[in-house]
Amino acid sequence: MATLVDHVRYNNLPSLEEANASLENSIGIKDVMNGPIRDAFLEYGVAETHCLYLQHRHHTMKATQAVVKVAGTAHLMDSHAMEDIFSVGNKIVPATWMVCDGDLHPMELAVVPEAATTPDLREPFRLKLLSILSSNNCGDLFGIDSIAKENWSELKIGDASVVIPSQDMDGHDHGDFIPVAFAFDTKDPKFRVHGKCKKDHKHTSK
């Protein structure tokens, strides 16, 4: 089976803590998020299906592995497990993209029925976003994630990364979670936090 995720690029991503520190230390980054980045998501009609993502990793991945989401739970899978998924009428598609070497690359995957259609990141949007990130010195900071039906929080349970619905994105966690997914819409001039990861969410150390 062809490699779906470049494990070298994935393993070079920062940890959650490192990514959050870079975000907090980036002067003026919220103006960039609420300005040209938001404008690009809205101009190209991407805001309903995708959001901005603070790219980071929770695993150390081998060449034959990928992080695959199944019904809200992400697992580090090898090629044999993915073949089993294919054998019962499913396909595996990119769900999160990382920006590396000036381009977008699949970072995490998701299982969907074989017949399902998935939103496409059109080339004009990709080029526009990459240009904005590069010109604002945040090309290594953000990637893109798929919008979920509800706001979410992710935490480690056993060997899995479990995504749970979150109703209060501003006050429920008391600092235990780090914002990682940022959504945009026409009603609000500022981004909203769409997803968070728990601070101690780590499967393998860097």
Side-chain angles (χ1 to χ4, degrees):
M1 185 182 68
T3 301
L4 299 176
V5 174
D6 186 322
H7 74 289
V8 175
R9 286 191 170 102
Y10 179 89
N11 290 338
N12 283 333
L13 291 174
S15 67
L16 176 62
E17 297 90 341
E18 290 169 340
N20 186 52
S22 295
L23 180 63
E24 292 183 341
N25 291 330
S26 296
I27 299 173
I29 192 62
K30 290 186 177 179
D31 291 333
V32 178
M33 295 166 70
N34 291 323
I37 292 178
R38 175 183 178 272
D39 292 344
F41 272 82
L42 296 178
E43 177 184 351
Y44 291 94
V46 180
E48 293 184 359
T49 56
H50 295 86
C51 61
L52 193 67
Y53 188 72
L54 178 65
Q55 55 187 31
H56 62 281
R57 69 177 184 88
H58 298 296
H59 300 272
T60 298
M61 187 184 296
K62 297 179 181 178
T64 57
Q65 294 177 318
V67 177
V68 183
K69 300 175 182 178
V70 184
T73 300
H75 306 267
L76 184 63
M77 296 187 185
D78 61 18
S79 56
H80 297 294
M82 286 184 263
E83 291 289 354
D84 287 339
I85 289 172
F86 298 144
S87 71
V88 290
N90 298 296
K91 61 184 177 181
I92 295 176
V93 299
T96 308
W97 293 259
M98 54 186 168
V99 175
C100 301
D101 302 321
D103 203 357
L104 284 165
H105 304 271
M107 174 184 158
E108 295 184 354
L109 312 173
V111 176
V112 298
E114 180 64 39
T117 58
T118 54
D120 183 35
L121 287 173
R122 296 184 298 275
E123 190 70 11
F125 168 73
R126 294 165 65 105
L127 294 176
K128 181 70 171 181
L129 180 65
L130 289 168
S131 175
I132 293 169
L133 295 178
S134 176
S135 63
N136 287 280
N137 299 315
C138 51
D140 297 327
L141 194 58
F142 295 119
I144 300 175
D145 194 18
S146 301
I147 286 281
K149 292 181 180 179
E150 300 180 89
N151 293 333
W152 53 267
S153 292
E154 184 179 84
L155 58 157
K156 179 178 179 287
I157 299 178
D159 292 330
S161 299
V162 180
V163 174
I164 56 175
S166 296
Q167 304 304 319
D168 181 4
M169 295 305 284
D170 294 322
H172 79 287
D173 52 54
H174 304 291
D176 292 333
F177 288 75
I178 293 173
V180 297
F182 310 94
F184 308 97
D185 60 57
T186 57
K187 298 177 182 178
D188 194 333
K190 297 182 179 180
F191 68 80
R192 62 179 174 84
V193 176
H194 179 55
K196 295 183 177 184
C197 286
K198 195 170 183 182
K199 282 185 175 180
D200 62 0
H201 183 170
K202 185 182 297 183
H203 294 272
T204 50
S205 58
K206 191 168 181 182

